[in-house]
């Protein structure tokens, strides 16, 4: 086995000029693995010569694969505004810069600057949220799933939480209402049927071990035909009469009235607050348009019990989250809807979308076939299930490629579009103005094989 003797020694191999400037420990681990493989291949008689150039290439490729940033910017051309797979809501750049100021220096996260002593991390945001929503108090946790868990664990552990069978949903694969309930220690008391639940079902379910009446937003499904569900307003009333807590997991709570008549089926948090509920919770990065967080609002006395639960220490949010949320809520309070990308996209008129689509169309019209089409899209993120909103897209044709080939080629350039009626679409509901040039260059490159920067 003369070949075995010619396997380069690791120390010598990694000291070569080509690896200069690279992280030695990483290069060493990779090289050891590559050389070990080589040894096995020789022993198995799979190779009969050692190609050092090939070995170096293998090590360098693996090094690049590991060190390349995995989380990357993507252009969302799907038209789905709150796209759960593409990072949900975009954060406004100015809000991000304010958060950066706070996060890159010491700050008063848990310090009361007036009194000169320990303060409360949630105090920063409570004033502005209570002002905006008219609630008594607020608590922010890691996400809405944590909010649900914390609330059930605090108030319904070993007690019954009453939920309609029509609302025992699974959201995003890993959030199943019945499972979250049992993990939190709450006893699920199912009432009604899949399609119909009546007020009397809630009334009849209440006994001495009932802790709360819970309503869950159906989020990603809707039922049609003979259906009935009980309005939260009535649930609040029954809960009050029976001295139990009412709680609404709103999923994607939003703070302003939605366009396209979506408000009829999807009332805002402020509208729900009018019923004087015990507790509500919703996500920070769905229609609220901010950062990942779970926002719990409601009665002061109940929120203070949540704050005493040891679990909160594990679910609490960081200064960056609080800073970003504060900016976002302020924008809503001041009516600056355009400062919240999610809402801005939702409110853009189809006329403006068409103008934006035209910016791209005129640039590529002479090199590939494309047409502006008016179609529909969904908001996403478990909001307004099955309700579509109008949108404008550019149907793109490149050479004689099939739509799924175009989809693949653009996706290789981090542009994610969608296929509808055998057409590849770039949906302008979610394309950011600043990204249009990038899409143009990518298409030109695909058509001509060269970029027009
Ligand atoms: C999305 C959703 C959740 C989970 O919220 P996250 O912020 O993703 O943790 C919980 N309940 C409902 C009804 C939802 O729609």
């Amino acid at each position: 086995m003369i070949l075995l003797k010619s396997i380069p020694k690791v120390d010598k191999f990694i000291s070569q000029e080509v690896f200069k400037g690279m992280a030695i420990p990483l290069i060493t681990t990779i090289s050891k693995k590559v050389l070990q493989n080589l040894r096995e291949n020789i022993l198995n008689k799979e190779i009969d010569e050692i190609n050092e150039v090939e070995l170096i290439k293998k090590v360098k490729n693996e090094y690049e694969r590991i060190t390349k940033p995995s989380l990357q910017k993507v252009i969302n051309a799907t038209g789905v505004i709150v796209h759960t797979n593409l990072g949900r809501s975009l954060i406004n750049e100015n809000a991000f810069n304010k958060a950066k100021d706070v996060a890159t220096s010491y700050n008063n996260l848990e310090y009361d600057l007036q009194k000169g002593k320990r303060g409360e991390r949630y105090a920063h945001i409570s004033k502005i949220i209570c002002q905006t929503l008219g609630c008594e108090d607020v608590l922010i946790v890691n996400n809405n799933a944590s909010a649900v868990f914390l609330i059930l664990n605090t108030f319904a552990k070993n007690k019954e939480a009453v939920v309609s069978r029509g609302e025992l949903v699974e959201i995003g694969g890993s959030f199943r209402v019945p499972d979250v309930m049992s993990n939190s220690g709450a006893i699920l008391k199912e009432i009604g049927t899949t399609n119909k639940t009546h007020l009397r079902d809630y009334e009849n379910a209440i006994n001495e071990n009932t802790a709360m009446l819970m309503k869950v937003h159906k989020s990603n499904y809707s039922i049609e035909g003979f259906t009935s569900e009980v309005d939260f307003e009535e649930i609040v009333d029954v809960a009050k009469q029976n001295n139990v807590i009412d709680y609404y997991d709103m999923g994607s709570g939003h703070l302003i009235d939605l366009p396209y008549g979506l408000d009829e089926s999807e009332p805002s948090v402020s509208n729900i607050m009018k019923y004087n509920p015990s507790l509500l919770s919703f996500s920070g990065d769905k229609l609220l348009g901010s950062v990942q967080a779970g926002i719990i609002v409601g009665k002061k006395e109940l929120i203070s019990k949540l704050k005493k639960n040891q679990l909160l220490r594990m679910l609490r949010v960081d200064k960056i989250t609080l800073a970003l949320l504060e900016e976002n809520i302020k924008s809503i309070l001041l009516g600056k809807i355009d400062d919240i990308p999610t809402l801005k996209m939702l409110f853009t008129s189809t006329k403006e979308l068409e103008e934006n689509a035209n910016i791209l169309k005129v640039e590529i019209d002479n090199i590939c076939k494309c047409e502006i089409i008016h179609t529909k899209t969904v908001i996403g993120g478990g909001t307004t299930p099955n309700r579509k909103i109008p949108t404008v897209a550019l149907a793109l044709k490149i050479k004689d490629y099939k739509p799924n080939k175009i989809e693949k080629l653009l996706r290789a350039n981090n542009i994610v579009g969608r296929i509808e009626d055998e057409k590849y679409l770039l949906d302008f509901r979610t394309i950011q103005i600043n990204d249009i040039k990038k899409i143009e260059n990518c298409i030109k490159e695909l058509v001509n094989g060269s970029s027009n920067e």
Side-chain angles (χ1 to χ4, degrees):
M1 276 290 180
I2 186 102
L3 214 47
L4 280 179
K5 291 216 178 80
S6 337
I7 295 176
K9 296 274 170 294
V10 177
D11 288 358
K12 197 150 171 246
F13 183 74
I14 63 166
S15 66
Q16 296 180 89
E17 194 64 25
V18 284
F19 297 131
K20 216 168 174 184
M22 294 178 166
I24 305 277
L26 184 54
I27 284 293
T28 311
T29 337
I30 299 169
S31 301
K32 273 185 187 158
K33 225 180 246 164
V34 168
L35 296 174
Q36 180 59 30
N37 271 347
L38 175 69
R39 172 178 296 274
E40 279 160 23
N41 288 340
I42 293 171
L43 287 172
N44 295 334
K45 303 206 161 48
E46 280 159 5
I47 56 168
D48 48 22
E49 63 168 353
I50 293 174
N51 183 341
E52 186 128 358
V53 176
E54 204 51 42
L55 290 176
I56 290 171
K57 208 167 127 194
K58 262 191 195 155
V59 171
K60 282 182 87 172
N61 282 349
E62 182 64 6
Y63 185 91
E64 266 155 36
R65 202 181 59 82
I66 293 172
T67 53
K68 187 178 126 193
S70 174
L71 201 50
Q72 297 166 27
K73 177 182 163 153
V74 161
I75 295 176
N76 177 6
T78 65
V80 181
I81 301 174
V82 185
H83 200 305
T84 300
N85 302 144
L86 302 181
R88 289 197 183 167
S89 280
L90 313 189
I91 287 163
N92 172 281
E93 213 170 298
N94 292 329
F96 195 78
N97 286 335
K98 293 219 172 126
K100 183 178 144 198
D101 262 359
V102 170
T104 53
S105 54
Y106 286 109
N107 52 66
N108 61 341
L109 179 64
E110 288 193 352
Y111 186 71
D112 187 326
L113 278 168
Q114 259 153 20
K115 294 184 185 148
K117 53 184 192 185
R118 189 191 170 92
E120 216 220 46
R121 80 169 47 209
Y122 307 103
H124 304 288
I125 197 137
S126 64
K127 245 189 228 122
I128 195 153
I129 291 190
C130 292
Q131 179 65 42
T132 310
L133 292 176
C135 54
E136 288 179 14
D137 205 357
V138 58
L139 182 61
I140 313 293
V141 289
N142 181 51
N143 55 11
N144 189 32
S146 338
V148 176
F149 193 84
L150 182 67
I151 289 171
L152 288 169
N153 180 268
T154 307
F155 299 110
K157 195 170 178 194
N158 300 324
K159 290 186 179 166
E160 290 179 5
V162 179
V163 188
S164 158
R165 289 197 170 88
E167 296 171 0
L168 295 174
V169 292
E170 171 179 304
I171 296 150
S174 56
F175 183 90
R176 302 179 119 193
V177 173
D179 297 348
V180 173
M181 291 187 102
S182 65
N183 280 326
S184 73
I187 302 163
L188 167 61
K189 174 86 178 177
E190 297 179 27
I191 56 161
T193 58
T194 307
N195 59 329
K196 287 196 178 197
T197 300
H198 306 285
L199 192 60
R200 60 173 185 276
D201 293 324
Y202 286 92
E203 289 167 333
N204 293 340
I206 296 174
N207 60 47
E208 67 278 7
N209 201 29
T210 305
M212 71 167 63
L213 307 185
M214 178 180 180
K215 187 171 176 65
V216 182
H217 190 282
K218 286 203 264 299
S219 291
N220 53 10
Y221 95 112
S222 60
I223 34 179
E224 280 177 37
F226 289 99
T227 68
S228 75
E229 67 177 292
V230 181
D231 283 338
F232 186 57
E233 183 175 11
E234 294 177 280
I235 295 175
V236 173
D237 281 345
V238 175
K240 278 215 180 76
Q241 284 158 24
N242 292 278
N243 238 337
V244 294
I245 294 167
D246 58 86
Y247 164 44
Y248 188 3
D249 168 14
M250 296 186 71
S252 175
H254 57 278
L255 306 191
I256 50 141
D257 291 345
L258 300 180
Y260 306 111
L262 295 172
D263 245 45
E264 290 164 34
S265 58
E266 201 83 11
S268 67
V269 179
S270 327
N271 274 323
I272 298 289
M273 281 311 299
K274 288 181 190 149
Y275 308 149
N276 195 14
S278 309
L279 291 168
L280 305 177
S281 76
F282 47 95
S283 294
D285 58 350
K286 289 183 178 173
L287 265 186
L288 192 71
S290 185
V291 67
Q292 179 188 305
I295 300 164
I296 304 170
V297 298
K299 301 267 179 255
K300 202 173 186 70
E301 173 211 341
L302 298 175
I303 302 264
S304 77
K305 282 196 178 137
L306 290 172
K307 283 180 184 168
K308 288 191 190 111
N309 190 331
Q310 282 291 311
L311 262 178
L312 180 61
R313 179 70 194 218
M314 292 153 238
L315 306 176
R316 75 179 190 183
V317 288
D318 178 58
K319 55 191 175 283
I320 301 177
T321 301
L322 289 171
L324 289 171
L325 261 183
E326 186 182 356
E327 283 307 308
N328 195 278
I329 305 280
K330 203 184 285 168
S331 297
I332 291 170
L333 186 64
L334 301 178
K336 295 182 176 170
I337 299 305
D338 279 359
D339 284 350
I340 299 168
T342 296
L343 295 178
K344 185 168 190 246
M345 284 183 254
L346 182 60
F347 278 91
T348 307
S349 69
T350 47
K351 184 170 164 278
E352 195 177 327
L353 294 179
E354 190 167 339
E355 284 163 12
N356 296 346
N358 232 330
I359 297 175
L360 179 59
K361 187 174 190 291
V362 296
E363 294 296 334
I364 57 173
D365 236 356
N366 56 341
I367 56 161
C368 64
K369 261 196 194 153
C370 56
E371 76 180 300
I372 288 176
I373 60 164
H374 286 253
T375 177
K376 290 191 164 4
T377 185
V378 292
I379 298 178
T383 64
T384 61
N386 293 348
R387 289 288 300 274
K388 301 217 162 178
I389 62 168
T391 189
V392 176
L394 202 61
L396 186 67
K397 264 202 164 162
I398 296 179
K399 299 179 182 166
D400 58 350
Y401 298 165
K402 294 239 156 55
N404 54 6
K405 177 160 182 184
I406 303 175
E407 192 277 333
K408 224 170 143 180
L409 286 169
L410 278 120
R411 180 154 45 82
N413 288 280
N414 288 18
I415 300 167
V416 184
R418 75 166 191 272
I419 295 169
E420 185 178 290
D421 295 336
E422 307 284 307
K423 285 177 183 157
Y424 176 79
L425 301 188
L426 292 167
D427 192 320
F428 278 75
R429 182 63 73 186
T430 48
I431 291 174
Q432 310 299 300
I433 293 279
N434 295 341
D435 288 333
I436 294 179
K437 195 80 195 163
K438 255 185 237 163
I439 302 176
E440 176 196 325
N441 287 336
C442 171
I443 293 169
K444 283 181 172 165
E445 200 164 320
L446 290 175
V447 176
N448 303 327
S450 69
S451 167
N452 255 24
E453 192 63 75

